[in-house]
Amino acid sequence: MLNKGKASHHQFDGWSLEERNPDAIKSWMPIWEWFYRYYFRVETDGWHHMPQSGKMLIVGSHNGGLASPDTSMFMYDWFRRFGYDRLIYGLMHPAAWKSPIFAIPGSMVGAVIAHPKMAIAALQRDASVLVYPGGAEDLFRPYYMRDRIHFAGRKGFIKLALREEVPIVPIISYGAHDTLIVLADFYDQVRQVHEWGFPWKLDLDTGVFPIYLGLPWGLGIGPLPNFPLPIQIHTRVCAPIVFERYGRDAALCRDYVNDCYEKVCFHMQLELDSLILSVRASS
């Protein structure tokens, strides 16, 4: 456990690797299975690319608002294939840990706070780490960008992979971002109004302020939790990406990090375009 003293006083705060509970994961499986088979009717492929052992950084594109349905559907696939003992931890935004609705179940199924120290601790335990670099900006990207890989320029995951010398396994999905319709993100405008005196609580600031159409609100204003529409989701595990060189020096080289970042984004966009074409061709 990392920061043992802190974690002992603040359970479910994301700073411990010990909250993960296989029994809790098992209890979620029937629920996930129902959504997987009947609500989202998930079709998946590419799992032969997933290494059968060892640590890795699994990198995904976030979709579908705070519900993020493709995330839970990926986790269902992972556990039904690998069981409950193979360690995997998911990095979750610090703002989510301020709400017990997300913090308690998240920590029990393997979520930890999105901080480099926790990711490194998990990898050094020989666990896999699931990360969505685009964060809230990706979750609530506008509808016209629903078919785009959007990491918002964040390259910390590249530095992590280089420093810890682990492959990146990309995962993509199509359909999950149709489970709500994000009209626009007014974060910059709302923040400006806040600076003028509008009483907006910035302690829960996620970096986005979307306006979206979806359940249960009809019209959602702000980063409110949503219930996804029953749209079919297609997921794919892509071939691992291995870079030419690794280590601390590689992770500190800005140009090399940028090149690796562009390589991952380009590869994932190609895979997503291919997945979309195959889905549309078969429909």
Side-chain angles (χ1 to χ4, degrees), residues 49 70 197 208 228 241 246 263:
H49 290 307
D70 49 348
V208 295
I241 297 175
Y246 287 90
K263 178 179 180 179

Side-chain angles (χ1 to χ4, degrees), residues 35-36 40-50 60-61 63 68-78 80-81 132 170-177 231-238 271-272 274-276 278-279:
F35 278 97
Y36 187 97
F40 298 120
R41 295 158 288 132
V42 178
E43 292 185 1
T44 189
D45 65 58
W47 280 87
H48 61 283
H49 290 307
M50 187 68 73
S61 175
N63 298 281
S68 185
D70 49 348
T71 302
S72 55
M73 296 301 93
F74 170 80
M75 297 309 299
Y76 171 76
D77 265 323
W78 173 279
R80 75 188 180 106
R81 283 172 165 81
Y132 293 90
I171 56 173
I172 57 172
S173 76
Y174 172 61
H177 212 63
I231 305 297
Q232 185 173 25
I233 295 176
H234 300 262
T235 67
R236 172 174 293 174
V237 176
C238 308
E271 289 283 357
L272 180 56
S274 173
L275 176 61
I276 293 171
S278 65
V279 171

